[in-house]
Amino acid sequence: MRKLIEEKDPMEVVGCARGHSCEELIHNLPRHCKFYPALIQHINKIPEVILRNSGTPIAKKVNRMMREISKESYRAMQFTRTEINNRGVLFGIVSLKHKVMDRVLNYFHKRWPECIICLYNEHTHKTSTIDEKGIIHKIDSPLKTVVEKASKNRPLIPYFDDIQFSGKEIFETLYSSQFISERENQKYFKKMIPEKCYELPGMRSGIEKRFRNKKINDYF
Amino acid sequence: MPSTLEKIRVLGENSKYDICASTASSRTDKYPKLFGDTNSWIGNTASAGICHSYTPDGRCMSLFKTLYTNKCIYNCKYCFTHSCKRKMSFTPEEYARTFMKLYSMNVVEGVFISSAVCGSADKTTEEMLEAIRLLRFKYNFQGYVHFKCLPGVSQYLLKEAISLSDRISINTEASSKDYLAEIADQKDFNNDIITRQRWLKQIRLKHNDEALKVMKDFKQDNTLEYQGKMIKERREDGYKKFRWDGAPILNSGQTTQFVVGAAESESDYDLLKRIDWGYREIDLRRAYFSSFIPIEGTPLAGKQAASLAREHRLYQTDWLLRIYHYKLKDLEEIFNEEGNLPKGDPKMHLASEYFKDRNLVDPNQASYRELLLVPGIGPISAKRIINLRAKKFVFKRRQDLKSVGVVLKRAEPYLLINGHNQTTLNKYFDIISDNVSQREIV
């Protein structure tokens, strides 16, 4: 790759280069739980093309860290199960090791811009909220208290009041109805929802687990 | 009166063979929304879609996918609703409320609304549209909606459906009139399906042309008074003139679905020919294939199920047509006598046929089209190679190609890297068999 190193960044001409740019790394790596400031100095010394292609052990390491960060936030967006009360407060539990709470909160904020979002992080035992203006607060109280406090001065919103019924059973029925037994593919299923996803708060009591842990009798 | 839960169970099960893979929406922010940007909308679409769950067959389950009703005037031989004894329908209010509940739980990303034809296509579509209208205007839902149009539906309803949804589709089911008659004799292939597909394209193009003209005026006469008047007019006319959220451009592309293996002697070539026509003539975004599975109680219950491998090969070949922009005639040589695809990756077959009597590809000289013929080189890596060559970069080592995303395991037998080619085991066997036959001749 000598020639590639000499040039500035030939990949960028395609507009679809692999890996992350230096700016992205500097911006996002501090989110990782094992981040240390000296890492940024290391990154600044390495040409971007090596970083993009995991050309050295340190480049491999930073790319792995970036992957862990984005994976955690994406999993949280996928598998966090939430509830909404009739005052327009959306709440749920997450388990985030890295500092990606802002990403997850913003994801929910874009979906429910008029609501207050409260997410309790099991890992840090803190509740984070995002209000209608998109301002994030960190509170050292349990989720229930934060939700009660946030709901206090808010009016009753008719269409949120309209959907105040238990939805767990509805989802379980919908999920079971979609399964085509002739196409069952446990290997693929396990690849799409790996074991560690069942440790996420939203998935612990999820119906998916019941389909995964089949008894030997189910096969006959 | 069945409960909502019972309806979800029965109507969800009836719709499980309908396929929709992605929840991504191609909405553009290029033009201002004429209703004005407001915070009261609920929901959003992610550019690549998000899967909130997966079924035990590994498929993404992110949409509230049920039929609206399973009461049907048609008796398609392969269809689930044919055998389902329990007939029921949602009400628009019930449908919208149930979906919003699921959306608030973050278990679904959007709606996939399909239906059997109860009474007439127009009557059922009216009710389905009412459910979507409630979602859009009562619950202010801004997220993903896939609307499945019914065969034979009127043009004005298609127009409304297209302006309310992110994706729209009509199931073609079979590749031609004769094959459709074999499995669904009550449906008119040309009138009920093909004409409607053409309408979908025309409605979208006509609308977008008109909308762009209006947007031009909007920019030129940029006075607040004029814009205010226009927004008022828009609100009064509602979404019927533009998209439901006030965006001028209709982005809902159309897709279609085929039942693979239900019609006797329908070949892969027939299906791909119909898809190729779709890409050329009706702006088809993509096609879905659903392998035929015999369902008890239907006239085709005794027929053998189509193999999932066939479905997979069709998807692979469709990828070559849609993403690689191959022409169907380029692929003709890999089909067998019955017009079916052989086992294995179609691109590998194509490459082995193509390079039989041609020189191997030198990445430093080959054109974009030639690079695309090599297995392991896709459009992105081919573009990277071309761009690097334009910058006077010379590919001399395997790693150089690997770093631009080429899958060397598949590509190497067809590439000349620095003047050398990696010989495959097959080639070695060919040499041995040549030697043996030469000895026999001697």
Side-chain angles (χ1 to χ4, degrees), chain A residues 1 16 82 111 162 175 208, chain B residues 43 53-54 104 139 384 397:
Chain A
M1 297 292 344
C16 194
T82 53
R111 274 153 202 253
D162 208 21
Y175 183 87
E208 294 89 345
Chain B
S53 192
Y54 295 89
S104 73
Y139 292 100
R384 281 181 187 160
R397 301 186 306 169

Side-chain angles (χ1 to χ4, degrees), chain B residues 354-366:
Chain B
Y354 184 82
F355 291 107
K356 223 184 239 176
D357 45 8
R358 285 184 181 88
N359 291 334
L360 298 175
V361 169
D362 182 352
N364 293 312
Q365 286 169 5

Side-chain angles (χ1 to χ4, degrees), chain B residues 126 172 206 215 257 277 295 318 390 417-418:
Chain B
E126 283 276 13
T172 315
K206 196 178 161 204
M215 290 314 296
Q257 187 179 328
W277 170 86
I295 299 161
D318 171 51
I417 307 169
N418 209 15

Side-chain angles (χ1 to χ4, degrees), chain B residues 313-345:
Chain B
R313 283 198 297 277
L314 280 165
Y315 275 120
Q316 284 177 315
T317 319
D318 171 51
W319 190 264
L320 295 179
L321 293 174
R322 183 159 53 97
I323 309 291
Y324 287 64
H325 301 292
Y326 276 32
K327 288 185 178 122
L328 192 60
K329 66 174 183 197
D330 298 337
L331 304 172
E332 269 168 8
E333 53 198 35
I334 61 168
F335 290 96
N336 64 18
E337 282 168 11
E338 287 104 46
N340 288 323
L341 290 160
K343 276 182 187 171
D345 184 354

Side-chain angles (χ1 to χ4, degrees), chain B residues 246-264:
Chain B
I249 296 293
L250 291 182
N251 58 339
S252 45
Q254 65 166 313
T255 60
T256 192
Q257 187 179 328
F258 294 91
V259 188
V260 179
E264 205 68 54

Side-chain angles (χ1 to χ4, degrees), chain A residues 94-95 122 194-204 209:
Chain A
V94 290
S95 177
E122 276 188 346
E195 188 70 52
K196 56 186 168 195
C197 285
Y198 293 102
E199 288 160 21
L200 297 173
M203 294 291 279
R204 269 174 219 150
K209 205 169 184 175

Side-chain angles (χ1 to χ4, degrees), chain B residues 364-384:
Chain B
N364 293 312
Q365 286 169 5
S367 66
Y368 176 74
R369 296 299 310 168
E370 281 173 324
L371 285 170
L372 271 191
L373 282 164
V374 177
I377 300 184
I380 290 176
S381 42
K383 273 180 201 159
R384 281 181 187 160

